[in-house]
Amino acid sequence: MILKDWVLQMEAGGFVRRRRMTADTSSGDAAVAGASAGEEIHWFGGRFWGVSESLIGTLTPRIAGETELHVGHFYGSQEASDFSEPDYEGLPQGASTSTHMLAGAVAGIMEHCLMFPIDCVKTRMQSLQPEPAARYRNVMDALWRIVRTEGIWRPIRGLNVTAVGAGPAHALYFACYERLKKVLSDIIHPGANSHLANGAAGCVATLLHDAVMNPAEVVKQRMQMYNSPYRGVLDCMRCVWQQEGALAFYRSYTTQLTMNVPFQALHFMTYEYLEELLNPQRHYNPSSHMVSGALAGAIAAAITTPLDVCKTLLNTQESLALDSVSQSGRHITGLGHAFRTVYRLGGLPAYFKGVQARVIYQMPSTAISWSVYEFFKYVITKHQHEKRRIQRDGEK
């Protein structure tokens, strides 16, 4: 595709830009898609910007040694020295590490908070020996019965510890992924996107994410179980510490990694592949981010469900399951022990308990995570660019 002219202009709120392109016929669809994406975010962005401008300004300090945002070259009669608005597809490479961390933290907290009730259902449906009152036909039946018999707030019990863990975990997760993706892509396939680099970067980022998130997962899942004996998060943490020791918070860490490394490899590779198909020019396009994220999450979630069942068993140390295999008073330790216990209690079908709830949880979860992350990355980077433009104009 040959672009003859690029014209960038800001609308009244300074938030949406449009491109005027003259190209061959095959570029028409891309131009329409870009304009459509701009219209989609105009209404939401115009209102959100007024509230978040002061917050973003105070929460985006530059990390020592970080480089300034690199503005891409523009072609035509415009001089390269002119201070013009950068293209969105240039922002992921130019955005600072602090931008990735802040956008990732917000995305992680929103993802886990919005989807927490479904996560509660998933944990219960993965129970190997559930109480008669905690046997559910499907996700909606589980939600309805939990609310009706245990109270409206029961599905979000343990939300606070999840939100506290999700912020720093996802900040490290996205920052590590963005940095490694670029470094590895330059090594494996210079000047182009490498799916192998995307998968490898996602695997390494998972190590940091799970190291922070695993203790929160243990507390969260114990509080989500039916007839959970804990009064609150602090009571749960104290009981686990006193009765099982500090290592109990990381008993499922190796299983979590064994599950999340292939999960994230599939997740990131599928997401980047779908983005190439749906959004080849990598514009800011909320619909493509949501669709790509949802499909990537669903595929990865379905494939890794057996490992998630084992992780839940290791985290919860389900008492009825222990009694059924004559291990009352003992603990299930290690992935191999968990795999054998699951098979003894339910055979092969047991490895896919809760797969429906897991996929239903993961699809909107990853869609929310990616769309919120891409939006905040766009907004924060644009805000930083505008501040530099104003400072530059003030010096003239």
Side-chain angles (χ1 to χ4, degrees), residues 194-247:
S194 168
H195 296 303
L196 178 60
N198 298 333
C203 291
V204 176
T206 300
L207 299 177
L208 296 176
H209 172 274
D210 289 357
V212 176
M213 198 66 188
N214 206 85
E217 282 282 319
V218 173
V219 176
K220 175 200 75 174
Q221 291 197 305
R222 294 200 179 207
M223 296 189 66
Q224 287 175 334
M225 293 296 288
Y226 180 75
N227 277 341
S228 174
Y230 309 107
R231 296 189 300 273
V233 169
L234 294 179
D235 179 51
C236 180
M237 293 174 65
R238 184 176 60 254
C239 289
V240 173
W241 183 284
Q242 292 175 351
Q243 297 173 12
E244 303 175 43
L247 290 179

Tab-separated table of all heavy atoms in Angstrom, residues 194-247:
chain	number	residue	atom	x	y	z
A	194	SER	N	7.312	-11.175	15.811
A	194	SER	CA	7.647	-12.595	15.905
A	194	SER	C	6.724	-13.260	16.916
A	194	SER	O	6.693	-12.876	18.087
A	194	SER	CB	9.111	-12.771	16.331
A	194	SER	OG	9.373	-14.105	16.687
A	195	HIS	N	5.956	-14.266	16.476
A	195	HIS	CA	5.066	-14.974	17.390
A	195	HIS	C	5.849	-15.761	18.433
A	195	HIS	O	5.402	-15.916	19.570
A	195	HIS	CB	4.142	-15.906	16.604
A	195	HIS	CG	3.208	-15.183	15.691
A	195	HIS	ND1	2.317	-14.224	16.133
A	195	HIS	CD2	3.022	-15.246	14.341
A	195	HIS	CE1	1.618	-13.747	15.115
A	195	HIS	NE2	2.035	-14.350	14.021
A	196	LEU	N	7.016	-16.255	18.057
A	196	LEU	CA	7.860	-16.957	19.015
A	196	LEU	C	8.310	-16.005	20.119
A	196	LEU	O	8.317	-16.363	21.303
A	196	LEU	CB	9.078	-17.554	18.304
A	196	LEU	CG	10.083	-18.295	19.196
A	196	LEU	CD1	9.411	-19.460	19.897
A	196	LEU	CD2	11.273	-18.776	18.368
A	197	ALA	N	8.663	-14.779	19.744
A	197	ALA	CA	9.061	-13.774	20.733
A	197	ALA	C	7.892	-13.416	21.644
A	197	ALA	O	8.065	-13.247	22.859
A	197	ALA	CB	9.585	-12.522	20.028
A	198	ASN	N	6.694	-13.312	21.071
A	198	ASN	CA	5.514	-12.999	21.879
A	198	ASN	C	5.258	-14.078	22.921
A	198	ASN	O	4.988	-13.784	24.092
A	198	ASN	CB	4.280	-12.857	20.978
A	198	ASN	CG	4.417	-11.732	19.976
A	198	ASN	OD1	5.131	-10.758	20.215
A	198	ASN	ND2	3.752	-11.858	18.845
A	199	GLY	N	5.350	-15.342	22.485
A	199	GLY	CA	5.124	-16.441	23.415
A	199	GLY	C	6.184	-16.508	24.502
A	199	GLY	O	5.870	-16.706	25.681
A	200	ALA	N	7.456	-16.325	24.122
A	200	ALA	CA	8.549	-16.377	25.095
A	200	ALA	C	8.439	-15.233	26.099
A	200	ALA	O	8.650	-15.419	27.310
A	200	ALA	CB	9.891	-16.321	24.376
A	201	ALA	N	8.099	-14.036	25.617
A	201	ALA	CA	7.946	-12.881	26.512
A	201	ALA	C	6.799	-13.111	27.493
A	201	ALA	O	6.901	-12.772	28.678
A	201	ALA	CB	7.705	-11.617	25.695
A	202	GLY	N	5.695	-13.705	27.016
A	202	GLY	CA	4.574	-14.000	27.896
A	202	GLY	C	4.936	-15.009	28.972
A	202	GLY	O	4.505	-14.885	30.120
A	203	CYS	N	5.773	-16.001	28.622
A	203	CYS	CA	6.192	-17.007	29.605
A	203	CYS	C	7.041	-16.388	30.715
A	203	CYS	O	6.831	-16.670	31.899
A	203	CYS	CB	6.990	-18.109	28.907
A	203	CYS	SG	5.994	-19.134	27.796
A	204	VAL	N	7.983	-15.536	30.348
A	204	VAL	CA	8.848	-14.904	31.349
A	204	VAL	C	8.038	-13.948	32.222
A	204	VAL	O	8.214	-13.889	33.444
A	204	VAL	CB	10.017	-14.160	30.669
A	204	VAL	CG1	10.861	-13.431	31.710
A	204	VAL	CG2	10.883	-15.136	29.884
A	205	ALA	N	7.125	-13.197	31.606
A	205	ALA	CA	6.286	-12.267	32.371
A	205	ALA	C	5.436	-13.017	33.396
A	205	ALA	O	5.149	-12.494	34.486
A	205	ALA	CB	5.384	-11.478	31.422
A	206	THR	N	5.059	-14.254	33.073
A	206	THR	CA	4.250	-15.061	33.986
A	206	THR	C	4.995	-15.382	35.279
A	206	THR	O	4.384	-15.472	36.351
A	206	THR	CB	3.833	-16.371	33.284
A	206	THR	OG1	3.074	-16.039	32.119
A	206	THR	CG2	2.976	-17.239	34.192
A	207	LEU	N	6.300	-15.556	35.197
A	207	LEU	CA	7.086	-15.849	36.400
A	207	LEU	C	6.934	-14.738	37.433
A	207	LEU	O	6.763	-14.999	38.624
A	207	LEU	CB	8.568	-16.020	36.036
A	207	LEU	CG	8.921	-17.158	35.073
A	207	LEU	CD1	10.407	-17.134	34.754
A	207	LEU	CD2	8.539	-18.502	35.675
A	208	LEU	N	7.000	-13.492	36.982
A	208	LEU	CA	6.856	-12.348	37.887
A	208	LEU	C	5.418	-12.216	38.380
A	208	LEU	O	5.166	-11.987	39.560
A	208	LEU	CB	7.281	-11.065	37.176
A	208	LEU	CG	8.750	-10.971	36.756
A	208	LEU	CD1	8.999	-9.687	35.980
A	208	LEU	CD2	9.665	-11.044	37.963
A	209	HIS	N	4.475	-12.370	37.461
A	209	HIS	CA	3.064	-12.224	37.817
A	209	HIS	C	2.660	-13.226	38.897
A	209	HIS	O	2.052	-12.867	39.912
A	209	HIS	CB	2.200	-12.408	36.568
A	209	HIS	CG	0.727	-12.466	36.845
A	209	HIS	ND1	0.082	-13.638	37.182
A	209	HIS	CD2	-0.233	-11.494	36.833
A	209	HIS	CE1	-1.200	-13.398	37.380
A	209	HIS	NE2	-1.419	-12.112	37.165
A	210	ASP	N	3.001	-14.494	38.694
A	210	ASP	CA	2.568	-15.533	39.625
A	210	ASP	C	3.285	-15.456	40.965
A	210	ASP	O	2.731	-15.849	41.994
A	210	ASP	CB	2.780	-16.912	39.001
A	210	ASP	CG	1.797	-17.189	37.879
A	210	ASP	OD1	0.924	-16.335	37.636
A	210	ASP	OD2	1.892	-18.242	37.236
A	211	ALA	N	4.519	-14.960	40.971
A	211	ALA	CA	5.243	-14.811	42.231
A	211	ALA	C	4.523	-13.834	43.155
A	211	ALA	O	4.506	-14.006	44.376
A	211	ALA	CB	6.671	-14.330	41.971
A	212	VAL	N	3.906	-12.813	42.578
A	212	VAL	CA	3.166	-11.821	43.370
A	212	VAL	C	1.743	-12.300	43.662
A	212	VAL	O	1.216	-12.116	44.760
A	212	VAL	CB	3.120	-10.464	42.627
A	212	VAL	CG1	2.267	-9.452	43.375
A	212	VAL	CG2	4.533	-9.919	42.427
A	213	MET	N	1.126	-12.968	42.688
A	213	MET	CA	-0.301	-13.280	42.762
A	213	MET	C	-0.614	-14.568	43.502
A	213	MET	O	-1.741	-14.741	44.006
A	213	MET	CB	-0.863	-13.364	41.333
A	213	MET	CG	-2.360	-13.246	41.229
A	213	MET	SD	-2.946	-11.603	41.722
A	213	MET	CE	-4.720	-11.879	41.725
A	214	ASN	N	0.334	-15.481	43.620
A	214	ASN	CA	0.021	-16.800	44.171
A	214	ASN	C	-0.512	-16.762	45.610
A	214	ASN	O	-1.511	-17.429	45.914
A	214	ASN	CB	1.248	-17.712	44.103
A	214	ASN	CG	0.875	-19.174	44.048
A	214	ASN	OD1	0.596	-19.717	42.979
A	214	ASN	ND2	0.857	-19.817	45.208
A	215	PRO	N	0.096	-15.992	46.541
A	215	PRO	CA	-0.477	-15.933	47.888
A	215	PRO	C	-1.918	-15.404	47.905
A	215	PRO	O	-2.766	-15.899	48.660
A	215	PRO	CB	0.470	-14.983	48.636
A	215	PRO	CG	1.758	-15.089	47.896
A	215	PRO	CD	1.373	-15.258	46.463
A	216	ALA	N	-2.196	-14.408	47.065
A	216	ALA	CA	-3.561	-13.879	46.982
A	216	ALA	C	-4.519	-14.936	46.450
A	216	ALA	O	-5.682	-15.023	46.883
A	216	ALA	CB	-3.596	-12.639	46.094
A	217	GLU	N	-4.054	-15.764	45.507
A	217	GLU	CA	-4.886	-16.837	44.963
A	217	GLU	C	-5.255	-17.848	46.041
A	217	GLU	O	-6.382	-18.341	46.092
A	217	GLU	CB	-4.146	-17.542	43.819
A	217	GLU	CG	-4.154	-16.788	42.509
A	217	GLU	CD	-5.485	-16.928	41.782
A	217	GLU	OE1	-6.046	-18.036	41.763
A	217	GLU	OE2	-5.968	-15.911	41.258
A	218	VAL	N	-4.286	-18.195	46.898
A	218	VAL	CA	-4.546	-19.168	47.971
A	218	VAL	C	-5.638	-18.652	48.895
A	218	VAL	O	-6.610	-19.362	49.200
A	218	VAL	CB	-3.253	-19.450	48.763
A	218	VAL	CG1	-3.552	-20.315	49.986
A	218	VAL	CG2	-2.215	-20.132	47.877
A	219	VAL	N	-5.497	-17.417	49.350
A	219	VAL	CA	-6.484	-16.832	50.265
A	219	VAL	C	-7.837	-16.694	49.578
A	219	VAL	O	-8.885	-17.048	50.142
A	219	VAL	CB	-5.986	-15.470	50.777
A	219	VAL	CG1	-7.054	-14.803	51.646
A	219	VAL	CG2	-4.687	-15.630	51.555
A	220	LYS	N	-7.828	-16.200	48.351
A	220	LYS	CA	-9.078	-15.986	47.609
A	220	LYS	C	-9.847	-17.288	47.444
A	220	LYS	O	-11.061	-17.350	47.718
A	220	LYS	CB	-8.759	-15.402	46.237
A	220	LYS	CG	-9.964	-15.240	45.323
A	220	LYS	CD	-9.559	-15.124	43.871
A	220	LYS	CE	-9.138	-16.485	43.329
A	220	LYS	NZ	-8.877	-16.448	41.876
A	221	GLN	N	-9.186	-18.352	47.013
A	221	GLN	CA	-9.905	-19.596	46.733
A	221	GLN	C	-10.397	-20.279	48.005
A	221	GLN	O	-11.440	-20.927	47.992
A	221	GLN	CB	-9.018	-20.538	45.911
A	221	GLN	CG	-8.786	-20.030	44.488
A	221	GLN	CD	-8.270	-21.113	43.561
A	221	GLN	OE1	-7.266	-21.759	43.832
A	221	GLN	NE2	-8.961	-21.308	42.449
A	222	ARG	N	-9.678	-20.134	49.091
A	222	ARG	CA	-10.164	-20.709	50.350
A	222	ARG	C	-11.413	-19.987	50.835
A	222	ARG	O	-12.304	-20.600	51.437
A	222	ARG	CB	-9.067	-20.656	51.405
A	222	ARG	CG	-7.890	-21.556	51.055
A	222	ARG	CD	-7.050	-21.882	52.244
A	222	ARG	NE	-5.948	-22.754	51.877
A	222	ARG	CZ	-5.354	-23.605	52.701
A	222	ARG	NH1	-5.768	-23.708	53.952
A	222	ARG	NH2	-4.345	-24.357	52.305
A	223	MET	N	-11.488	-18.695	50.585
A	223	MET	CA	-12.663	-17.939	50.997
A	223	MET	C	-13.838	-18.141	50.045
A	223	MET	O	-14.996	-17.891	50.407
A	223	MET	CB	-12.316	-16.453	51.108
A	223	MET	CG	-11.283	-16.160	52.184
A	223	MET	SD	-11.072	-14.400	52.489
A	223	MET	CE	-12.656	-13.972	53.178
A	224	GLN	N	-13.570	-18.596	48.821
A	224	GLN	CA	-14.640	-18.825	47.860
A	224	GLN	C	-15.335	-20.162	48.060
A	224	GLN	O	-16.460	-20.348	47.590
A	224	GLN	CB	-14.069	-18.773	46.430
A	224	GLN	CG	-13.703	-17.382	45.962
A	224	GLN	CD	-13.027	-17.387	44.604
A	224	GLN	OE1	-12.402	-18.387	44.216
A	224	GLN	NE2	-13.128	-16.290	43.872
A	225	MET	N	-14.704	-21.101	48.755
A	225	MET	CA	-15.270	-22.433	48.919
A	225	MET	C	-16.567	-22.399	49.738
A	225	MET	O	-16.776	-21.513	50.569
A	225	MET	CB	-14.257	-23.358	49.591
A	225	MET	CG	-13.030	-23.649	48.739
A	225	MET	SD	-13.417	-24.537	47.214
A	225	MET	CE	-13.804	-26.161	47.864
A	226	TYR	N	-17.408	-23.392	49.501
A	226	TYR	CA	-18.664	-23.507	50.244
A	226	TYR	C	-18.361	-23.777	51.722
A	226	TYR	O	-17.486	-24.574	52.068
A	226	TYR	CB	-19.497	-24.643	49.660
A	226	TYR	CG	-20.823	-24.853	50.355
A	226	TYR	CD1	-21.877	-23.976	50.137
A	226	TYR	CD2	-21.007	-25.929	51.206
A	226	TYR	CE1	-23.098	-24.167	50.767
A	226	TYR	CE2	-22.228	-26.131	51.839
A	226	TYR	CZ	-23.267	-25.244	51.623
A	226	TYR	OH	-24.476	-25.435	52.253
A	227	ASN	N	-19.086	-23.093	52.607
A	227	ASN	CA	-18.889	-23.207	54.059
A	227	ASN	C	-17.452	-22.894	54.466
A	227	ASN	O	-16.885	-23.550	55.347
A	227	ASN	CB	-19.265	-24.607	54.555
A	227	ASN	CG	-20.760	-24.748	54.801
A	227	ASN	OD1	-21.467	-23.754	54.938
A	227	ASN	ND2	-21.249	-25.978	54.848
A	228	SER	N	-16.883	-21.895	53.838
A	228	SER	CA	-15.522	-21.474	54.204
A	228	SER	C	-15.498	-21.051	55.674
A	228	SER	O	-16.336	-20.256	56.113
A	228	SER	CB	-15.084	-20.302	53.323
A	228	SER	OG	-13.838	-19.802	53.738
A	229	PRO	N	-14.563	-21.574	56.473
A	229	PRO	CA	-14.578	-21.314	57.922
A	229	PRO	C	-13.966	-19.970	58.325
A	229	PRO	O	-13.986	-19.625	59.507
A	229	PRO	CB	-13.732	-22.463	58.479
A	229	PRO	CG	-12.759	-22.752	57.384
A	229	PRO	CD	-13.491	-22.519	56.103
A	230	TYR	N	-13.467	-19.206	57.383
A	230	TYR	CA	-12.724	-17.989	57.718
A	230	TYR	C	-13.655	-16.784	57.800
A	230	TYR	O	-14.558	-16.613	56.985
A	230	TYR	CB	-11.626	-17.739	56.684
A	230	TYR	CG	-10.760	-18.948	56.451
A	230	TYR	CD1	-10.871	-19.694	55.265
A	230	TYR	CD2	-9.847	-19.382	57.411
A	230	TYR	CE1	-10.088	-20.824	55.056
A	230	TYR	CE2	-9.060	-20.509	57.205
A	230	TYR	CZ	-9.190	-21.222	56.025
A	230	TYR	OH	-8.419	-22.342	55.825
A	231	ARG	N	-13.403	-15.933	58.797
A	231	ARG	CA	-14.224	-14.740	58.987
A	231	ARG	C	-13.880	-13.637	57.995
A	231	ARG	O	-14.717	-12.805	57.678
A	231	ARG	CB	-14.051	-14.205	60.413
A	231	ARG	CG	-14.546	-15.145	61.499
A	231	ARG	CD	-14.539	-14.459	62.861
A	231	ARG	NE	-13.205	-14.035	63.224
A	231	ARG	CZ	-12.309	-14.798	63.847
A	231	ARG	NH1	-12.619	-16.057	64.159
A	231	ARG	NH2	-11.116	-14.342	64.165
A	232	GLY	N	-12.645	-13.613	57.536
A	232	GLY	CA	-12.211	-12.585	56.605
A	232	GLY	C	-10.829	-12.908	56.074
A	232	GLY	O	-10.244	-13.957	56.380
A	233	VAL	N	-10.284	-11.985	55.283
A	233	VAL	CA	-8.986	-12.193	54.645
A	233	VAL	C	-7.878	-12.361	55.677
A	233	VAL	O	-7.063	-13.293	55.594
A	233	VAL	CB	-8.672	-11.011	53.699
A	233	VAL	CG1	-7.213	-11.066	53.241
A	233	VAL	CG2	-9.596	-11.028	52.491
A	234	LEU	N	-7.831	-11.482	56.665
A	234	LEU	CA	-6.763	-11.547	57.672
A	234	LEU	C	-6.861	-12.822	58.501
A	234	LEU	O	-5.841	-13.427	58.851
A	234	LEU	CB	-6.811	-10.311	58.573
A	234	LEU	CG	-6.499	-8.971	57.894
A	234	LEU	CD1	-6.595	-7.827	58.893
A	234	LEU	CD2	-5.107	-9.008	57.260
A	235	ASP	N	-8.091	-13.229	58.821
A	235	ASP	CA	-8.279	-14.466	59.568
A	235	ASP	C	-7.801	-15.665	58.752
A	235	ASP	O	-7.153	-16.581	59.284
A	235	ASP	CB	-9.762	-14.634	59.914
A	235	ASP	CG	-10.033	-15.924	60.678
A	235	ASP	OD1	-9.345	-16.173	61.688
A	235	ASP	OD2	-10.922	-16.683	60.251
A	236	CYS	N	-8.082	-15.665	57.462
A	236	CYS	CA	-7.628	-16.747	56.585
A	236	CYS	C	-6.105	-16.789	56.511
A	236	CYS	O	-5.496	-17.864	56.624
A	236	CYS	CB	-8.227	-16.559	55.188
A	236	CYS	SG	-7.751	-17.840	54.008
A	237	MET	N	-5.487	-15.641	56.330
A	237	MET	CA	-4.028	-15.582	56.249
A	237	MET	C	-3.395	-16.074	57.553
A	237	MET	O	-2.414	-16.828	57.528
A	237	MET	CB	-3.588	-14.147	55.944
A	237	MET	CG	-3.987	-13.656	54.567
A	237	MET	SD	-3.605	-11.906	54.304
A	237	MET	CE	-1.815	-11.938	54.372
A	238	ARG	N	-3.961	-15.663	58.676
A	238	ARG	CA	-3.405	-16.072	59.968
A	238	ARG	C	-3.544	-17.579	60.184
A	238	ARG	O	-2.592	-18.247	60.631
A	238	ARG	CB	-4.108	-15.313	61.093
A	238	ARG	CG	-3.515	-15.607	62.479
A	238	ARG	CD	-4.162	-14.781	63.575
A	238	ARG	NE	-5.598	-15.033	63.673
A	238	ARG	CZ	-6.533	-14.186	63.250
A	238	ARG	NH1	-6.187	-13.035	62.704
A	238	ARG	NH2	-7.816	-14.491	63.370
A	239	CYS	N	-4.687	-18.136	59.841
A	239	CYS	CA	-4.902	-19.568	60.033
A	239	CYS	C	-3.981	-20.398	59.146
A	239	CYS	O	-3.414	-21.403	59.594
A	239	CYS	CB	-6.361	-19.916	59.739
A	239	CYS	SG	-7.533	-19.305	60.982
A	240	VAL	N	-3.840	-20.001	57.895
A	240	VAL	CA	-2.961	-20.730	56.983
A	240	VAL	C	-1.525	-20.677	57.483
A	240	VAL	O	-0.805	-21.687	57.490
A	240	VAL	CB	-3.067	-20.160	55.551
A	240	VAL	CG1	-2.027	-20.793	54.642
A	240	VAL	CG2	-4.469	-20.385	54.986
A	241	TRP	N	-1.097	-19.491	57.911
A	241	TRP	CA	0.274	-19.309	58.412
A	241	TRP	C	0.527	-20.181	59.647
A	241	TRP	O	1.564	-20.859	59.736
A	241	TRP	CB	0.499	-17.840	58.729
A	241	TRP	CG	1.897	-17.517	59.186
A	241	TRP	CD1	2.457	-17.766	60.403
A	241	TRP	CD2	2.920	-16.902	58.408
A	241	TRP	NE1	3.750	-17.332	60.451
A	241	TRP	CE2	4.070	-16.796	59.232
A	241	TRP	CE3	2.977	-16.405	57.105
A	241	TRP	CZ2	5.260	-16.223	58.792
A	241	TRP	CZ3	4.162	-15.840	56.660
A	241	TRP	CH2	5.287	-15.750	57.498
A	242	GLN	N	-0.414	-20.185	60.589
A	242	GLN	CA	-0.225	-20.916	61.841
A	242	GLN	C	-0.351	-22.427	61.667
A	242	GLN	O	0.395	-23.199	62.284
A	242	GLN	CB	-1.238	-20.418	62.881
A	242	GLN	CG	-0.995	-18.989	63.350
A	242	GLN	CD	-2.094	-18.492	64.277
A	242	GLN	OE1	-3.132	-19.143	64.447
A	242	GLN	NE2	-1.870	-17.335	64.903
A	243	GLN	N	-1.271	-22.864	60.844
A	243	GLN	CA	-1.547	-24.293	60.725
A	243	GLN	C	-0.698	-24.997	59.667
A	243	GLN	O	-0.396	-26.187	59.814
A	243	GLN	CB	-3.032	-24.503	60.406
A	243	GLN	CG	-3.960	-24.013	61.505
A	243	GLN	CD	-5.426	-24.069	61.093
A	243	GLN	OE1	-5.774	-24.664	60.077
A	243	GLN	NE2	-6.296	-23.435	61.884
A	244	GLU	N	-0.320	-24.281	58.616
A	244	GLU	CA	0.381	-24.933	57.504
A	244	GLU	C	1.728	-24.310	57.175
A	244	GLU	O	2.472	-24.859	56.359
A	244	GLU	CB	-0.516	-24.914	56.257
A	244	GLU	CG	-1.871	-25.575	56.473
A	244	GLU	CD	-2.774	-25.443	55.277
A	244	GLU	OE1	-2.288	-25.630	54.142
A	244	GLU	OE2	-3.978	-25.138	55.456
A	245	GLY	N	2.020	-23.171	57.769
A	245	GLY	CA	3.306	-22.539	57.528
A	245	GLY	C	3.300	-21.609	56.319
A	245	GLY	O	2.362	-21.607	55.517
A	246	ALA	N	4.371	-20.813	56.211
A	246	ALA	CA	4.459	-19.811	55.138
A	246	ALA	C	4.489	-20.447	53.756
A	246	ALA	O	4.002	-19.865	52.775
A	246	ALA	CB	5.702	-18.942	55.349
A	247	LEU	N	5.056	-21.657	53.649
A	247	LEU	CA	5.163	-22.305	52.346
A	247	LEU	C	3.798	-22.666	51.757
A	247	LEU	O	3.694	-22.920	50.551
A	247	LEU	CB	6.033	-23.561	52.449
A	247	LEU	CG	7.530	-23.336	52.695
A	247	LEU	CD1	8.254	-24.669	52.791
A	247	LEU	CD2	8.129	-22.481	51.581
